[in-house]
Amino acid sequence: MIEFLFEYESLRVIWWILLGVLLIGFAATDGFDMGVGALLPFVAKTDAERRVAINTIGPVWEGNQVWFILGGGAIFAAWPALYAVSFSGFYLAMFLVLLALIMRPVGFKYRSKRPDPAWRTRWDWALFVGGAVPALIFGVAVGNTLQGVPFHFTPDLRPVYEGSLFGLLNPLALYCGLVSLAMLVTHGAAWLTFKAEGSVAERARAVGTRSAIITAVLFAGGGVLVWLGLLGGYRVTSPIVWDGPSNPLVKTVVADSGAWLANFHAHPLLWIVPALGVAAPLLAAAGFQARLEGWTFLASKLGVAMIIATVGLAMFPILLPSSSNPGHSLAVFDASSSRTTLRNMLVATVIFMPLILTYTAWVYRVLWGKVGEKSIEKAGSSAY
């Protein structure tokens, strides 16, 4: 069994799965932080209410953001070609994301330094930008990935990106951005109903009900776009050598409008994943109305996981398709690091990931309980 896991083809698939786990972990944890930030101007009307909303995520947002670092690190180490193309091609979009994410810790730290209402309002809007902009841009990036990114490799495997920031902001990509934004707003609302008390929780419940329904409708609409062939697709036509060298130039890929549905047609049980991607937000909407706070948050988290998993399963084995030269697309079997690198990383992951998860669970256990205006007044200056 151990020998099978350490075979090159097995390691490539395992790291494709782990990359998906890390992305889902980031969206399921830091996603509700971003959702709370995006909701801040709409669910909290007074300074006390805004402090309640902020303090539901204040103690955990830094730990949640570690998943973002882990995901980027995994791409860099396990899929270096993917890292080189995506982080250079999406450079300006990534810069906007990082700029927005930088505004979040600054907002947390500086908001309560002065009692001036205008001062605090400015930082509240900084927290809004730090939540809403990344949630939108991450979806835009996924939308561009599904359509294909204009890049190619030179004969010495140097990536050349041919697009621009405004090219990334196309209608279909923005549609995916709206799916992402609605999904994370729902997740943030579910967290607020779970952790906050009073008017903040009530407003979050009302907003979350609507955003959950919008998430389900938009995601189902995206499925219709794929079904109609409007979102494109790419398919590997040459024989796949799973234990071959990492060289994206030795395969043949064609653009095919029905390619993103091929895996679901070949393995009908996979349809459960997108079905849950539609059903889970609707369950969350019902949970909001039934005031089942814990179940609502779990349903929202399930929806996040299934929506992201749907994209991964649709594209497999392609990681990043090239719209300008499909044959240069990056795939699971030709864009990975060496067998030794993947093996050593897997050993480190098996050792340290349980420790990270255990510590995270302990932190949430220590911070268990709701946040209300009375608890904020009691905490005084120690709260955000």
Side-chain angles (χ1 to χ4, degrees), residues 29-45:
T29 55
D30 205 38
F32 69 73
D33 295 345
M34 291 186 284
V36 171
L39 285 170
L40 189 59
F42 310 104
V43 300
K45 303 303 182 182

Side-chain angles (χ1 to χ4, degrees), residues 81-92:
L82 175 63
Y83 181 91
V85 174
S86 60
F87 278 66
S88 59
F90 295 159
Y91 180 80
L92 292 177

Side-chain angles (χ1 to χ4, degrees), residues 87-379:
F87 278 66
S88 59
F90 295 159
Y91 180 80
L92 292 177
M94 290 292 181
F95 181 82
L96 289 177
V97 168
L98 292 176
L99 180 62
L101 290 178
I102 289 171
M103 295 177 69
R104 185 165 58 166
V106 176
F108 280 125
K109 299 301 181 183
Y110 281 90
R111 182 190 186 278
S112 296
K113 296 297 184 182
R114 293 172 57 186
D116 178 31
W119 168 272
R120 292 189 172 187
T121 298
R122 285 193 290 270
W123 289 118
D124 289 339
W125 282 106
L127 292 173
F128 166 78
V129 171
V133 170
L136 178 69
I137 296 298
F138 285 136
V140 168
V142 172
N144 280 281
T145 300
L146 288 169
Q147 295 177 79
V149 179
F151 73 91
H152 68 273
F153 289 94
T154 62
D156 59 352
L157 295 182
R158 182 175 61 87
V160 178
Y161 179 72
E162 302 166 338
S164 64
L165 175 62
F166 295 105
L168 296 176
L169 301 177
N170 58 79
L172 288 175
L174 289 171
Y175 183 94
C176 294
L178 291 177
V179 175
S180 174
L181 181 60
M183 175 182 75
L184 296 185
V185 164
T186 301
H187 204 35
W191 176 255
L192 284 174
T193 60
F194 183 69
K195 285 289 291 183
E197 293 179 342
S199 300
V200 172
E202 291 303 316
R203 295 191 190 104
R205 182 174 288 109
V207 174
T209 301
R210 292 192 290 269
S211 64
I213 295 173
I214 291 172
T215 300
V217 171
L218 289 177
F219 181 61
V224 172
L225 293 177
V226 174
W227 192 277
L228 295 176
L230 299 178
L231 205 55
Y234 295 84
R235 179 167 50 88
V236 180
T237 57
S238 58
I240 295 177
V241 182
W242 286 98
D243 58 350
S246 289
N247 185 348
L249 304 183
V250 296
K251 66 178 181 304
T252 303
V253 178
V254 297
D256 183 352
S257 61
W260 293 153
L261 297 176
N263 288 334
F264 297 102
H265 290 318
H267 307 281
L269 283 178
L270 294 180
W271 285 109
I272 295 173
V273 177
L276 287 175
V278 175
L282 296 177
L283 289 174
F288 280 120
Q289 292 300 298
R291 297 178 180 273
L292 300 174
E293 299 160 355
W295 287 107
T296 301
F297 186 62
L298 290 176
S300 174
K301 187 173 292 188
L302 177 63
V304 169
M306 293 300 100
I307 289 173
I308 295 174
T310 297
V311 176
L313 291 172
M315 294 183 61
F316 184 83
I318 292 178
L319 293 170
L320 185 66
S322 169
S323 58
S324 58
N325 194 329
H328 291 199
S329 300
L330 299 175
V332 173
F333 56 86
D334 67 5
S336 73
S337 294
S338 67
R339 175 180 178 273
T340 301
T341 299
L342 297 181
R343 181 196 62 200
N344 293 343
M345 288 173 55
L346 180 61
V347 172
T349 300
V350 170
I351 294 172
F352 291 106
M353 184 61 75
L355 297 177
I356 294 173
L357 294 175
T358 300
Y359 175 74
T360 301
W362 177 78
V363 168
Y364 278 87
R365 178 67 183 87
V366 170
L367 299 172
W368 194 261
K370 287 185 174 291
V371 179
E373 292 186 28
K374 291 183 178 179
S375 61
I376 295 297
E377 293 175 0
K378 184 177 180 181

